[in-house]
């Protein structure tokens, strides 16, 4: 039988606010345990939550970016369950009336564009962390993370393969980072994914029973976990079994999923509106205000780079892969005044390679856009060749020197003095009569040999166009 | 000294008739003398004297705040920095709050001296002060009777002259009913008028702190320093606080008083009814006119309240889990054991009953039938009040169907106990301000007259109460043995 996979994702993005969603404590990652938890985060008797407006702004920004309905009226609710790292015994979340309603995101897989529905996105607070190691059989509780704002983004079950799921996840990751609402750091848990996976015979309308895969925290693991789970479900059904609705945990080390709890064991969260918080009202005027802070989004930027600069699909994809890369490219373009193609080639080529090798982000690039602009200008005005430029770039990466200083100091200026070039050409023609004969009898390929000899003799500094022109003249002699 | 009102004491302190230290010592002595009342859970002698000395220095320097040097006490539901805040529960018997509630901080800033923390029903759940882990409080008017609850210690302390004025909280009548039972003046402000920050939550959408004092004038003085917007409480209302004392002198000519007929029907004891009738007659003498109004949904208030309040409390009390603070059971075997025994041993019966009721009401499959239904009733009751208050200035009626009942009389019968709040609970559901003022006696025990006003009409309520107190003596009487 042919099977169809159905996938929906729930993604928790940690919002990049400075303070927590309901308290003034800082959200910075990695502090000493319990140093960033105030009375409100600890859930002390008598404390009350106060909503951080910045979290609302970010949620609305996200909603507008996915063309979603922004709820004019949304409500915080208490989700009740006991756990040691949940200080109040309930999590403040949104249930019946989330701040962001129906929206969508377009993904591209194998050249085909597909629209993935987003059911909702709601604001909530994160819990703390239970630390089970290093406490000799006891459990430590770190509440630094308690109260960190999260936006939980729930998709429709619109994805039909692990590949689509990963494409959606990447697209969303790119979007929240573009919007500046999430740092996207997956190691630190800023962007976490749960996947609802089911299978059904191809052509069947009803969904199969789904399993929820918890906390799969890399693009690679999402793909592997889904693929494993799909295979497990198909094998199970084909062997005469039935899939049960349950929560399963992905074990990355063993590359398999295992049951965590069944539907029967699921908590009754007893949601009800939190009486400590007022409903959130969003006006049209407020939306319009947020819209003015909206950056150009990835799809629009990519299209503009194509239209405005005539760049191809491959380089625009790389250039718009992050807001920082696109910003770097446009700043470089403005500062250098060079052709877009030249700038694009350098950003997607030398610069990207160097950053990858060093494991650095473009925002922290050792060669800033204005220093790189200094280099590209010298290519454009023929002071140096592209080949020499790579050598200069390497030197720039290692030092803080400007391109001009390096060119000057290392004497890399291109030689355009025709007299000097002519002398060398004459010498090489005289020293290689055999090759001259070959060329003149019609073996054009030998031309390259002459160019190489000249450049070698001039340590690469001769202007290639000038060398070509003069060589042709002399050889045709 | 201790028989004076806050207004008189402030005057005496300013004119140096006595010092705050002398006054504070006098109250501390009475607190220790009348320990049998069990009004205080914690007396803070050293702190009180330190604050009194500081107050005397300010008074000498001539830069006194409105309450400088006035000894007050707080219901033990308000967090006090560095001092045990028990909420009347074994669960918090060892809890030293690391911060001040906004109300505590505001009164301290206004110069008040804190004598200690007052007994109360456990987590404010009760109408008789009998659910307290620290034992019942006795009513100064009859040592065999309850003082009412949940602010029983607060009411008894004022009646017995153990503090010049105190704070209380009112979720379903917890300021007004004990004020009525103990013959003092109590004010439950409009929901949102006084910050709830640092006030340990019972039912967040109903809880409201307020003053409990001898007179309406004193209530105005305390409320002046307690009220106001607090950025730490999203449900507090950002609205200017009027000068409550300035409005007290307005005559009552033409005041229209609505009498909800549902407040005077079956269940009301005839002796309370006649005391209330006498009180209303006094108002008519002062120039007021009374008209009957009807609020058909009032009978639904108790069932609605006993869904909403327990639902909210079932979540509010989840933080008491033995993990971070408060009571933890001995040698827990595992996490579940830690939770179940810490909570099972730390909470009393009434608290557990309400947590269970609330948990049930919020459970899947029951939520619509209970919680949602109760919210609809709440809206209907608010509308009833809105209608009634559209044609009259204030509503009046009894605070409770009977006078203070005997200790042990109703504790075994929760339904009967719940019914003692029948006239007060609806006011909390609507979020309106209301007062209880002494209006006579029945069987030698005080009767409270309830005055209910429109949203943020505390100034009007205080005015209406004050004018009555200018014409009557009920609020001046001291329980025998406490003169």
């Amino acid at each position: 039988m042919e099977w169809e996979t159905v996938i929906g994702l729930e993604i928790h993005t940690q919002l990049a606010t400075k303070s927590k969603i309901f308290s003034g404590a800082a959200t910075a990652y990695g502090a000493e345990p319990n140093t960033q938890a105030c009375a409100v985060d600890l859930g002390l008797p008598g404390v009350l939550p106060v909503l951080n407006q910045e979290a609302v702004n970010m949620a609305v920004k996200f909603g507008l970016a996915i063309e979603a309905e922004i709820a004019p009226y949304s409500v915080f609710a208490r989700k009740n369950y006991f756990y040691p790292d949940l200080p109040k015994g309930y999590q403040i979340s949104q249930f019946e009336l989330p701040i962001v309603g129906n929206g969508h995101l377009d993904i591209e897989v194998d050249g085909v564009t597909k629209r993935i529905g987003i059911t909702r996105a709601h604001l909530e607070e994160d819990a703390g962390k239970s630390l089970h190691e290093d406490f000799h059989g006891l459990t430590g509780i770190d509440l630094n993370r308690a109260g960190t704002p999260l936006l939980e983004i729930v998709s429709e079950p619109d994805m039909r393969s692990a590949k689509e799921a990963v494409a959606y996840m990447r697209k969303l990751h790119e979007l929240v980072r573009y919007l500046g609402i999430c740092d996207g750091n997956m190691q630190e848990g800023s962007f976490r994914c749960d996947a609802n996976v089911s299978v059904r015979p191809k052509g069947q309308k009803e969904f199969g029973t789904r399993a929820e895969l918890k906390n799969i925290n890399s693009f690679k693991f999402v793909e592997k976990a889904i693929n494993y789970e799909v295979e497990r479900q198909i094998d199970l059904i084909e062997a005469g079994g039935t899939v049960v609705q349950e929560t399963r945990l992905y074990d990355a080390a063993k590359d398999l999923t295992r049951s965590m709890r069944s539907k029967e064991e699921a908590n009754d969260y007893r949601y009800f509106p939190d009486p400590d918080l007022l409903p959130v009202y969003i006006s049209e005027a407020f939306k319009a205000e947020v819209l003015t802070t909206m950056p150009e989004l990835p799809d629009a930027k990519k299209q503009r780079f194509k239209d405005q600069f005539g760049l191809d699909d491959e380089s625009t994809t790389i250039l718009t892969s992050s807001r920082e890369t696109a910003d770097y490219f446009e700043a470089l373009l403005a500062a250098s005044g060079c052709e877009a193609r030249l700038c694009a080639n350098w950003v997607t080529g030398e610069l990207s390679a160097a950053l990858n090798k060093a494991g650095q982000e473009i925002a922290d690039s050792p060669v800033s856009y204005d220093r790189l602009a200094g280099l590209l200008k010298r290519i454009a005005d023929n002071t140096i060749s592209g080949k020499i430029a790579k050598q200069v770039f390497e030197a720039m990466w290692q030092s803080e020197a400007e391109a001009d200083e390096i060119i000057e100091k290392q004497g890399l200026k291109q030689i355009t003095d025709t007299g000097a070039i002519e002398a060398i050409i004459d010498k090489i023609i005289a020293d290689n009569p055999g090759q001259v004969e070959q060329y003149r009898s019609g073996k054009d390929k030998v031309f390259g040999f002459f160019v190489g000899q000249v450049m070698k003799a001039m340590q690469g500094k001769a202007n290639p166009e000038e060398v070509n022109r003069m060589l042709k003249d002399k050889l045709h002699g | 000294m201790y028989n004076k009102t806050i207004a008189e004491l402030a005057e005496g302190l300013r004119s140096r008739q006595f010092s705050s230290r002398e006054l504070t010592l006098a109250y501390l002595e009475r607190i220790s003398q009348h320990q049998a009342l069990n009004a205080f859970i914690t007396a803070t002698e050293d702190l009180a004297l330190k604050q009194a000395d500081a107050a005397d220095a300010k008074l000498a320097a001539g830069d006194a705040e409105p309450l400088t040097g006035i000894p007050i006490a707080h219901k033990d539901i308000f967090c006090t920095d560095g001092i045990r805040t028990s909420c009347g529960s074994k669960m918090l018997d060892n809890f030293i709050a690391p911060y001040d509630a906004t109300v505590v901080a505001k009164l301290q800033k206004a110069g008040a001296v804190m004598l200690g923390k007052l007994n109360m029903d456990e987590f404010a759940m009760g109408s008789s002060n009998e659910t307290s882990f620290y034992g019942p409080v006795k009513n100064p008017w009859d040592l065999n009777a309850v003082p009412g609850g949940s602010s029983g210690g607060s009411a008894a302390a004022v009646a017995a002259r153990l503090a010049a004025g105190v704070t209380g909280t009112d979720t379903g009548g917890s300021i007004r009913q004990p004020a009525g039972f103990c013959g003092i003046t109590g004010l439950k402000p409009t929901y949102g008028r006084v910050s709830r920050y640092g006030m340990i939550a019972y039912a967040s959408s109903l809880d409201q702190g307020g003053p409990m004092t001898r007179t309406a004038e004193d209530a105005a003085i305390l409320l002046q320093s307690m009220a106001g917007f607090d950025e730490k409480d999203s449900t507090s209302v950002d609205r200017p606080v009027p000068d409550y004392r300035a409005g007290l002198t307005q005559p009552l000519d033409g005041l229209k008083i609505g009498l909800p007929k549902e407040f005077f029907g079956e269940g009301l004891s005839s002796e309370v009814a006649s005391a209330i009738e006498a009180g209303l007659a006094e108002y008519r003498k002062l120039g007021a006119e009374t008209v009957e109004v009807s609020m058909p949904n009032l009978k639904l208030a108790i069932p609605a309240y006993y869904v909403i309040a327990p639902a909210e409390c079932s979540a509010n009390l989840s933080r008491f889990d033995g993990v971070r603070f408060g009571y933890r059971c001995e040698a827990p075997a595992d996490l579940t054991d830690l939770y179940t025994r810490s909570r099972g041993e730390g909470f009393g019966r009434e608290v557990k009953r309400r947590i269970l009721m609330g948990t049930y009401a919020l459970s899947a499959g029951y939520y619509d039938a209970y919680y949602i239904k109760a919210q609809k009733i709440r809206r209907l009751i608010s509308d009833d009040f809105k209608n009634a208050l559209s044609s009259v200035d204030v509503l009046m009626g009894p605070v409770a169907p009977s006078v203070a009942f005997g200790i042990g009389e109703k504790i075994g019968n929760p339904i009967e106990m719940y019914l003692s709040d029948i006239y007060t609970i609806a006011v909390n559901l609507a979020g309106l301000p209301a007062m209880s003022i002494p209006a006579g006696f029945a069987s030698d025990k005080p009767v409270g007259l309830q005055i209910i006003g429109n949203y943020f009409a505390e100034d009007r309520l205080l005015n209406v109460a004050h004018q009555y107190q200018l014409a009557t003596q009920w609020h001046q009487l001291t329980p025998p043995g406490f003169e």
Side-chain angles (χ1 to χ4, degrees):
Chain A
M1 187 183 297
E2 218 183 321
W3 296 92
E4 183 175 53
T5 305
V6 176
I7 304 159
L9 298 185
E10 289 170 22
I11 291 178
H12 288 86
T13 54
Q14 184 178 312
L15 295 178
T17 55
K18 287 194 186 69
S19 59
K20 294 185 176 176
I21 186 167
F22 299 119
S23 84
T27 52
Y29 179 84
E32 278 292 297
N34 299 309
T35 54
Q36 287 185 172
C38 68
V40 174
D41 307 320
L42 294 174
L44 288 184
V47 298
L48 296 169
V50 175
L51 179 59
N52 180 346
Q53 180 62 42
E54 196 51 33
V56 174
N57 296 355
M58 288 181 175
V60 170
K61 207 168 184 179
F62 174 76
L64 292 171
I66 59 161
E67 295 174 340
E69 300 156 13
I70 309 293
Y73 170 89
S74 63
V75 168
F76 284 100
R78 294 182 181 179
K79 178 180 181 179
N80 294 286
Y81 66 95
F82 283 101
Y83 205 70
D85 59 25
L86 185 72
K88 298 187 295 296
Y90 59 83
Q91 177 194 26
I92 305 177
S93 181
Q94 296 189 306
F95 185 55
E96 281 180 330
L97 297 166
I99 187 160
V100 176
N102 261 314
H104 58 83
L105 203 61
D106 293 341
I107 60 167
E108 206 185 292
V109 175
D110 300 332
V112 181
T113 301
K114 181 173 177 179
R115 176 155 288 193
I116 306 298
I118 291 177
T119 317
R120 60 183 281 166
H122 66 254
L123 285 168
E124 63 184 23
E125 59 178 345
D126 207 344
K129 269 184 196 159
S130 293
L131 310 165
H132 298 293
E133 292 101 35
D134 309 330
F135 291 95
H136 313 287
L138 299 175
T139 295
I141 307 289
D142 178 6
L143 296 176
N144 281 352
R145 203 181 64 182
T148 299
L150 299 176
L151 187 68
E152 181 176 340
I153 303 160
V154 183
S155 85
E156 292 286 318
D158 285 349
M159 288 152 274
R160 294 292 172 267
S161 66
K163 219 170 164 183
E164 285 186 8
V166 171
Y168 167 80
M169 198 173 160
R170 280 191 188 280
K171 192 70 187 282
L172 200 63
H173 187 254
E174 174 188 271
L175 178 63
V176 293
R177 292 184 64 233
Y178 250 83
L179 293 170
I181 64 172
C182 174
D183 68 16
N185 190 322
M186 295 168 87
Q187 269 93 50
E188 293 176 6
S190 299
F191 191 86
R192 318 198 277 268
C193 177
D194 301 337
N196 286 304
V197 180
S198 65
V199 297
R200 63 182 171 191
K202 199 146 198 159
Q204 179 183 304
K205 270 215 166 109
E206 301 77 38
F207 291 129
T209 305
R210 66 169 195 268
E212 185 182 8
L213 311 182
K214 277 276 176 204
N215 266 324
I216 15 187
N217 294 331
S218 80
F219 298 119
K220 194 173 92 187
F221 290 156
V222 165
E223 185 158 8
K224 289 180 118 180
I226 292 173
N227 282 334
Y228 173 88
E229 180 59 20
V230 167
E231 221 167 292
R232 184 189 74 85
Q233 291 185 11
I234 293 173
D235 288 352
L236 185 65
I237 299 168
E238 287 184 340
T242 45
V243 176
V244 292
Q245 191 176 331
E246 62 183 350
T247 303
R248 298 179 71 84
L249 210 60
Y250 177 66
D251 182 337
K254 294 184 181 141
D255 187 24
L256 50 79
T257 66
R258 59 187 138 76
S259 181
M260 207 167 106
R261 57 172 179 261
S262 72
K263 191 187 170 193
E264 285 72 32
E265 295 167 275
N267 281 313
D268 175 0
Y269 291 119
R270 306 188 310 277
Y271 283 99
F272 74 104
D274 191 329
D276 287 333
L277 290 160
L278 303 177
V280 180
Y281 294 94
I282 307 282
S283 65
E284 288 302 317
F286 179 75
K287 279 195 272 183
E289 207 183 300
V290 173
L291 216 45
T292 63
T293 67
M294 189 75 82
E296 186 180 26
L297 297 179
D299 287 350
K301 202 182 275 283
K302 192 173 168 185
Q303 194 56 51
R304 179 169 64 82
F305 281 10
K306 284 183 187 170
D307 297 345
Q308 193 177 336
F309 308 128
L311 297 173
D312 60 29
D313 199 65
E314 199 190 328
S315 49
T316 51
T317 301
I318 300 172
L319 289 177
T320 58
S321 64
S322 79
R323 193 167 154 183
E324 290 80 7
T325 310
D327 287 350
Y328 188 102
F329 165 71
E330 291 207 88
L332 175 65
L333 194 62
S336 68
C338 296
E339 273 181 31
R341 160 101 347 243
L342 179 67
C343 294
N345 284 347
W346 272 82
V347 173
T348 60
E350 286 308 300
L351 181 67
S352 287
L355 287 168
N356 273 343
K357 204 172 145 199
Q360 276 173 305
E361 295 296 324
I362 196 160
D364 314 317
S365 172
V367 177
S368 63
Y369 71 84
D370 47 351
R371 284 176 69 215
L372 185 57
L375 177 62
L376 300 198
K377 275 186 208 165
R378 297 292 86 89
I379 300 173
D381 68 10
N382 284 325
T383 305
I384 54 172
S385 66
K387 199 171 164 201
I388 292 289
K390 289 179 186 177
Q391 191 184 326
V392 177
F393 178 78
E394 201 136 304
M396 290 171 76
W397 188 272
Q398 305 297 342
S399 72
E400 281 174 20
E402 295 296 331
D404 283 340
E405 294 170 50
I406 294 164
I407 293 167
E408 191 63 39
K409 222 164 124 191
Q410 301 192 9
L412 300 172
K413 242 184 207 157
Q414 221 162 222
I415 294 162
T416 43
D417 172 358
T418 46
I421 300 173
E422 191 173 8
I424 300 264
I425 289 176
D426 285 346
K427 185 173 182 295
I428 284 167
I429 288 178
D431 290 352
N432 298 284
Q435 278 83 352
V436 174
E437 202 48 47
Q438 284 179 21
Y439 182 79
R440 287 183 176 154
S441 62
K443 277 193 116 184
D444 288 353
K445 274 186 187 163
V446 191
F447 190 72
F449 163 78
F450 288 106
V451 174
Q453 290 296 312
V454 174
M455 294 306 269
K456 191 176 165 193
M458 301 194 75
Q459 294 157 321
K461 290 185 281 183
N463 181 322
E465 283 166 33
E466 205 58 37
V467 171
N468 277 350
R469 190 183 60 77
M470 292 175 70
L471 257 176
K472 271 186 187 146
D473 284 355
K474 294 269 177 190
L475 287 168
H476 286 222
Chain B
M1 276 184 286
Y2 53 79
N3 250 321
K4 292 183 189 298
T5 64
I6 292 175
E8 290 161 354
L9 290 174
E11 197 47 49
L13 286 167
R14 274 182 175 67
S15 59
R16 322 303 301 276
Q17 290 169 39
F18 43 81
S19 67
S20 176
R21 173 169 265 268
E22 289 168 321
L23 185 60
T24 302
L25 279 168
Y27 278 118
L28 288 172
E29 198 188 315
R30 281 185 73 78
I31 291 168
S32 118
Q33 217 171 32
H34 294 291
Q35 278 184 36
L37 277 182
N38 204 20
F40 278 80
I41 289 172
T42 308
T44 50
E45 295 92 349
D46 295 346
L47 177 70
L49 290 172
K50 216 175 97 190
Q51 290 180 341
D53 289 342
D56 283 330
K58 286 198 92 175
L59 286 157
D63 61 350
E65 303 286 340
L67 293 170
T68 298
I70 305 286
I72 62 161
H74 291 293
K75 184 175 182 178
D76 209 16
I77 199 169
F78 289 100
C79 285
T80 40
D81 194 359
I83 294 158
R84 173 173 65 177
T85 301
S86 74
C87 223
S89 181
K90 179 181 180 184
M91 184 60 89
L92 291 180
D93 184 47
N94 65 1
F95 178 64
I96 311 287
Y99 73 102
D100 275 330
T102 298
V103 161
V104 171
K106 287 185 88 146
L107 286 169
Q108 191 177 326
K109 191 161 168 276
V113 169
M114 184 175 81
L115 296 168
K117 308 293 294 289
L118 295 159
N119 205 342
M120 55 181 284
D121 277 302
E122 185 180 6
F123 285 103
M125 298 179 201
S127 310
S128 66
N129 215 114
E130 290 167 290
T131 71
S132 170
F133 172 63
Y134 301 93
V137 175
K138 289 172 180 159
N139 189 323
W141 290 94
D142 174 354
L143 299 178
N144 294 314
V146 303
S150 63
S151 311
S154 299
V158 173
R161 306 337 189 208
L162 307 186
V166 301
T167 55
T169 63
D170 192 316
T171 305
S174 284
I175 284 176
R176 290 159 290 157
Q177 186 252 25
F181 279 11
C182 291
I184 65 158
T185 303
L187 167 62
K188 178 207 107 67
T190 309
Y191 183 78
R193 179 73 291 183
V194 171
S195 168
R196 293 189 296 116
Y197 189 79
M199 195 176 104
I200 300 177
Y202 157 28
S204 314
S205 74
L206 302 160
D207 296 342
Q208 184 63 201
M212 298 171 77
T213 52
R214 299 260 307 287
T215 66
E217 184 179 24
D218 283 0
I221 293 169
L222 280 193
L223 182 63
Q224 198 72 49
S225 297
M226 293 169 76
F229 174 66
D230 179 7
E231 59 182 21
K232 292 194 205 124
D233 175 3
S234 313
T235 64
S236 76
V237 177
D238 195 356
R239 182 186 167 111
V241 177
D243 183 343
Y244 292 119
R245 250 175 128 180
L248 296 177
T249 50
Q250 201 187 321
L252 300 186
D253 289 315
L255 179 77
K256 262 184 113 172
I257 300 171
L259 306 175
K261 67 174 187 205
E262 292 78 8
F263 275 35
F264 295 88
E266 201 189 335
L268 177 64
S269 88
S270 56
E271 53 178 12
V272 170
S274 43
I276 296 298
E277 198 41 63
L280 295 171
E282 189 61 45
Y283 269 107
R284 283 188 281 264
K285 270 205 286 188
L286 290 169
E289 144 192 19
T290 55
V291 292
E292 191 184 87
V293 295
S294 175
M295 302 174 50
N297 295 296
L298 272 183
K299 59 179 184 294
L300 300 172
I302 286 196
Y305 174 91
Y306 278 100
V307 170
I308 293 167
E312 291 181 10
C313 100
S314 73
N316 281 334
L317 271 61
S318 291
R319 69 191 62 197
F320 306 110
D321 57 4
V323 173
R324 293 165 312 284
F325 46 74
Y327 179 79
R328 177 185 285 190
C329 67
E330 289 288 333
D334 54 26
L335 184 59
T336 308
D337 190 41
L338 168 74
Y339 283 152
T340 49
R341 278 204 292 125
S342 296
R343 288 168 68 78
E345 295 163 15
F347 290 138
R349 280 181 69 86
E350 185 59 29
V351 170
K352 282 188 250 186
R353 180 173 8 248
R354 295 195 195 187
I355 291 173
L356 287 173
M357 287 196 292
T359 303
Y360 180 81
L362 292 174
S363 296
Y366 298 101
Y367 180 76
D368 288 350
Y370 290 101
Y371 187 80
I372 295 293
K373 191 88 173 173
Q375 293 295 354
K376 286 179 181 162
I377 293 170
R378 185 174 187 173
R379 169 59 62 88
L380 292 176
I381 288 170
S382 297
D383 290 347
D384 273 5
F385 274 111
K386 203 186 280 175
N387 285 338
L389 285 165
S390 66
S391 60
V392 299
D393 298 309
V394 293
L395 300 167
M396 285 192 193
V399 168
S402 73
V403 291
F405 44 85
I407 292 174
E409 198 181 314
K410 294 189 179 179
I411 194 71
N413 187 341
I415 301 285
E416 209 176 302
M417 184 74 91
Y418 296 169
L419 284 170
S420 64
D421 294 329
I422 192 160
Y423 304 133
T424 47
I425 268 179
V427 172
N428 297 78
L429 291 172
L432 292 165
M435 285 186 81
S436 171
I437 56 171
F441 285 82
S443 305
D444 298 327
K445 281 179 267 191
V447 172
L449 171 69
Q450 186 172 206
I451 315 169
I452 303 162
N454 227 322
Y455 296 102
F456 299 98
E458 285 82 4
D459 46 356
R460 189 64 169 148
L461 289 185
L462 288 161
N463 162 235
V464 169
H466 179 68
Q467 291 300 312
Y468 179 84
Q469 292 184 341
L470 288 179
T472 58
Q473 300 300 313
W474 306 117
H475 63 289
Q476 306 276 25
L477 301 176
T478 312
F482 294 92
E483 293 89 353

